[in-house]
Amino acid sequence: MERSMTGGREKFAWPVPKLFKVLRRGLSAQDVSKDLLAGLTVGVVALPLAMAFAIASHVGPEKGLFTAIVAGFLISFLGGSRFAVGGPTGAFVVIIAGVVDRHGYQGLVLTTLMAGAILLVMGLAKLGKLIKFIPYPVTTGFTSGIAVLIFFSQLTDFLGLKLEHVPAEFVPKVALLASSLGSIDLSTAGIGFISLGAILLARRFFPRIPAPVFGVAVGAVTAAAFNLPVETIGTRFGGIPSELPSLVVPSLDWASLRALMPDAMTIALLAGIESLLCCVVSDGMTGDRHDSSMELLAQGTANIASVLFGGIPATGAVARTVTSIKSGAVSPVAGCIHAVVLVVFVLAAAPVASAIPLSSLAAVLLVVAYDMSEYRKFARLLRAPRSDVAVLVTTFALTVLIDLTVAVYVGVLLAALLFMRRMSEMTEICSCSLPQSDNLDERVRMADISAGGEDAAYSKESCPLPTGQSLLEEGIQVYEIDGPFFFGIADRFQDILDVVSGKPRVFILDVSHAQTIDSTGVNALEGFVKKCKSRGIELYLAGDRDHFKATLQRFGTDVLIGWDHMVDSVAEALLIASYKGRYDARKDGPAAQA
């Protein structure tokens, strides 16, 4: 939620969809015409993709179209990006197919409802900025893994293999496909390769033509012209209904919700990552800035509405967003129009879809898998530091060999561990070399330290300072914490006294560069204070960090340390530690009595 200032006080304001902001500024007739053309183009591109993603997800093609209509409209209408276009995407194919295989479509509905609710909570909690911080090796690892899974899942339809049951596990699936290559249907494979070739040619020589549409059209026309016996949408699914879906409210039960929660978390996280990545891409191409909180709220609303109207999970679609921008879109109106184009297709041209060969749609997904693989980026990351390579390879291997849900959780966990490790490396705990006599005299003089009133102020003339070497001889050790004092360095901090040479009389801990301290840091500091007291070492905490001191005060650690041992600077601590005894003698001596 956005913050605004009113009368010197801060208040929260609900985020506003980007479309509303654009309409408030106004759109010219030229802008509307550009959005209309862009929306028409994206709608045509989304048509075969929506059906292909749905079929690959083990549901009917109409569910992909319903998703692109309902979710696609709401993501543009309520989203936080000016250009992002939403709908079904390849990132969800593997996880959706797994949920449908285990729990049926109704299980997918419950899963997506929970995922939508999670996205709403994430948007309200303003977690969009945190999601964008998931490391690049994690997102590359499971994106490349998903691409591999999509590629091998489409070979059955692409080659026309007659397989009764294809294992869900990757290794058995590959073994079965390899052993079944002798049963390739030449007609189906021929249409698949023709469609694939048409897509690649369109991308290479006719970039203005929507390549997926061109490839599917060429495949369908070729199959019909030669009357080839290939499987089509009509022969497998009975075509696409020429009417829009009605609202269906599912029944909820606690046992199913508990069983489906891990998958819901995965869908929510993937939707958040993909949608914000899509927004970042569009911002980079246009110079606009998206609202991550509003985008997550739109994604949550769109996913809930999608399955209530017979759809599947949706998120921001990078390819369709880029197509919209290159087609001249100027506002979210283009995304809304793309959904309307699909409505027109369902109502007026659904029977045409019955003639589309499944091998042509498989060819579309093979190209999608190739684009998702990002093999050049994957290979480049293998030259990164070993920790990044370990995260990349682990996430990729878990995605392909185990399960996408496990890969996402482990990837995020590895990212958190990697972050903690690097943050702990940024915080330094080091011994400070004491200044030479002249420098020390100047620092203390400039500090204007008083130990008991102006008449008792120390000065160079009344109490000459010793050299840095004599401070060492007096047993004074100074250590500095440079960086966040958090749980990542607690163990290292506890070992300080074990590496200190000799037994210091006074230990000064400089926290002036410690930006913050957490509860684990407080606990470690308290343990250190107790250890110093048990060894007869006088501890001084030096630093003027208000937040640091306020945290210690909330925990009561300031009482344990003693406020007279919490000073603003190392110079002040050195002065007190070096001359406290002499000052007390002066205060109570004959001169003071006189």
Side-chain angles (χ1 to χ4, degrees):
M1 288 163 279
E2 299 175 347
R3 292 184 175 184
S4 60
M5 298 295 295
T6 305
R9 292 182 301 174
E10 217 176 56
K11 71 174 185 177
F12 287 100
W14 288 98
V16 179
K18 184 69 72 169
L19 176 63
F20 295 6
K21 295 179 180 179
V22 171
L23 293 178
R24 192 180 301 161
R25 299 189 191 104
L27 286 173
S28 65
Q30 184 180 9
D31 292 337
V32 173
S33 63
K34 289 181 178 179
D35 282 335
L36 182 62
L37 177 61
L40 179 62
T41 303
V42 177
V44 173
V45 171
L47 178 62
L49 291 174
M51 293 188 289
F53 287 137
I55 293 172
S57 301
H58 298 179
V59 296
E62 74 281 357
K63 297 190 180 303
L65 291 174
F66 296 160
T67 304
I69 292 171
V70 178
F73 181 85
L74 290 175
I75 288 172
S76 295
F77 187 77
L78 299 176
S81 171
R82 187 177 182 123
F83 299 98
V85 178
T89 65
F92 285 142
V93 165
V94 178
I95 187 66
I96 293 174
V99 173
V100 171
D101 290 344
R102 295 192 306 270
H103 305 282
Y105 178 71
Q106 289 305 312
L108 178 64
V109 171
L110 296 180
T111 303
T112 311
L113 289 176
M114 288 191 289
I118 293 170
L119 285 167
L120 290 176
V121 172
M122 292 166 64
L124 292 173
K126 303 173 67 175
L127 296 181
K129 294 181 180 179
L130 296 180
I131 290 178
K132 290 187 291 186
F133 292 149
I134 293 179
Y136 189 56
V138 174
T139 56
T140 302
F142 66 68
T143 301
S144 298
I146 291 170
V148 171
L149 294 176
I150 292 176
F151 180 87
F152 283 96
S153 70
Q154 294 306 301
L155 291 181
T156 302
D157 285 340
F158 184 77
L159 300 175
L161 301 177
K162 305 300 182 183
L163 301 177
E164 293 292 333
H165 174 71
V166 179
E169 296 77 14
F170 179 74
V171 175
K173 177 188 294 183
V174 173
L176 178 61
L177 291 173
S179 63
S180 304
L181 291 179
S183 62
I184 293 176
D185 183 82
L186 296 180
S187 298
T188 301
I191 293 299
F193 279 108
I194 288 173
S195 298
L196 180 61
I199 293 172
L200 298 179
L201 286 174
R203 283 163 55 121
R204 177 68 178 84
F205 298 106
F206 311 103
R208 291 186 175 276
I209 298 177
V213 177
F214 183 68
V216 169
V218 169
V221 170
T222 303
F226 292 94
N227 196 25
L228 297 177
V230 297
E231 193 170 20
T232 64
I233 289 178
T235 58
R236 180 179 293 184
F237 299 101
I240 295 175
S242 56
E243 59 184 13
L244 297 179
S246 56
L247 175 66
V248 177
V249 179
S251 58
L252 307 177
D253 66 277
W254 180 244
S256 297
L257 295 178
R258 288 184 59 185
L260 294 167
M261 179 55 73
D263 293 316
M265 291 290 294
T266 302
I267 290 176
L269 187 59
L270 281 177
I273 293 172
E274 286 287 313
S275 62
L276 295 182
L277 174 63
C278 180
C279 292
V280 170
V281 170
S282 69
D283 288 352
M285 294 180 64
T286 62
D288 195 48
R289 293 190 64 183
H290 71 279
D291 182 341
S292 58
S293 297
M294 190 66 247
E295 184 65 24
L296 291 179
L297 291 172
Q299 293 291 333
T301 304
N303 275 277
I304 291 173
S306 175
V307 291
L308 291 180
F309 285 93
I312 57 178
T315 186
V318 176
R320 274 156 275 177
T321 298
V322 171
T323 301
S324 180
I325 294 172
K326 289 184 176 181
S327 299
V330 297
S331 77
V333 172
C336 297
I337 291 175
H338 121 274
V340 175
V341 171
L342 294 174
V343 170
V344 173
F345 173 82
V346 170
L347 296 179
V352 177
S354 299
I356 296 177
L358 295 181
S359 58
S360 295
L361 293 179
V364 171
L365 289 186
L366 290 182
V367 176
V368 169
Y370 174 81
D371 292 338
M372 287 183 64
S373 67
E374 298 184 317
Y375 67 93
R376 290 189 180 91
K377 295 180 180 179
F378 191 97
R380 185 167 177 263
L381 273 175
L382 294 177
R383 299 195 295 269
R386 284 182 295 178
S387 56
D388 285 342
V389 174
V391 172
L392 171 71
V393 174
T394 300
T395 308
F396 175 80
L398 288 174
T399 301
V400 174
L401 300 177
I402 306 300
D403 183 71
L404 179 60
T405 302
V406 175
V408 170
Y409 291 162
V410 173
V412 172
L413 177 61
L414 288 175
L417 294 175
L418 185 61
F419 172 78
M420 288 186 285
R421 176 189 170 186
R422 289 178 175 169
M423 283 295 296
S424 65
E425 290 173 349
M426 289 177 60
T427 301
E428 295 183 359
I429 306 174
C430 56
S431 174
C432 299
S433 58
L434 294 175
Q436 295 299 316
S437 177
D438 292 342
N439 293 336
L440 180 62
D441 290 353
E442 183 64 19
R443 285 175 63 188
V444 173
R445 185 179 69 78
M446 294 301 293
D448 191 24
I449 304 302
S450 176
E454 293 182 2
D455 58 333
Y458 291 116
S459 66
K460 288 180 64 176
E461 294 77 13
S462 64
C463 196
L465 292 169
T467 64
Q469 181 61 36
S470 65
L471 285 175
L472 289 173
E473 293 172 355
E474 290 185 27
I476 299 176
Q477 289 276 354
V478 182
Y479 269 70
E480 177 186 18
I481 296 179
D482 187 0
F485 193 172
F486 74 124
F487 61 89
I489 68 163
D491 186 61
R492 280 195 289 147
F493 178 74
Q494 290 283 16
D495 296 335
I496 289 180
L497 286 183
D498 297 332
V499 299
V500 170
S501 58
K503 180 184 177 183
R505 177 179 62 84
V506 175
F507 194 100
I508 299 173
L509 184 63
D510 182 8
V511 296
S512 57
H513 295 96
Q515 296 89 342
T516 185
I517 184 171
D518 67 358
S519 58
T520 307
V522 170
N523 184 66
L525 180 59
E526 290 178 348
F528 186 75
V529 173
K530 294 174 183 177
K531 188 184 293 187
C532 286
K533 289 184 176 181
S534 68
R535 297 187 183 184
I537 301 173
E538 195 169 5
L539 173 68
Y540 287 90
L541 201 67
D544 58 353
R545 289 278 183 177
D546 293 336
H547 177 73
F548 196 100
K549 291 181 177 180
T551 303
L552 297 184
Q553 188 174 9
R554 286 198 301 271
F555 279 91
T557 310
D558 58 324
V559 178
L560 179 64
I561 298 173
W563 272 105
D564 57 333
H565 283 65
M566 297 176 65
V567 296
D568 289 338
S569 67
V570 173
E572 183 177 353
L574 286 171
L575 183 63
I576 297 174
S578 300
Y579 295 110
K580 184 178 181 182
R582 299 182 192 182
Y583 171 71
D584 290 340
R586 287 178 57 222
K587 183 178 66 174
D588 299 329
Q593 295 174 4

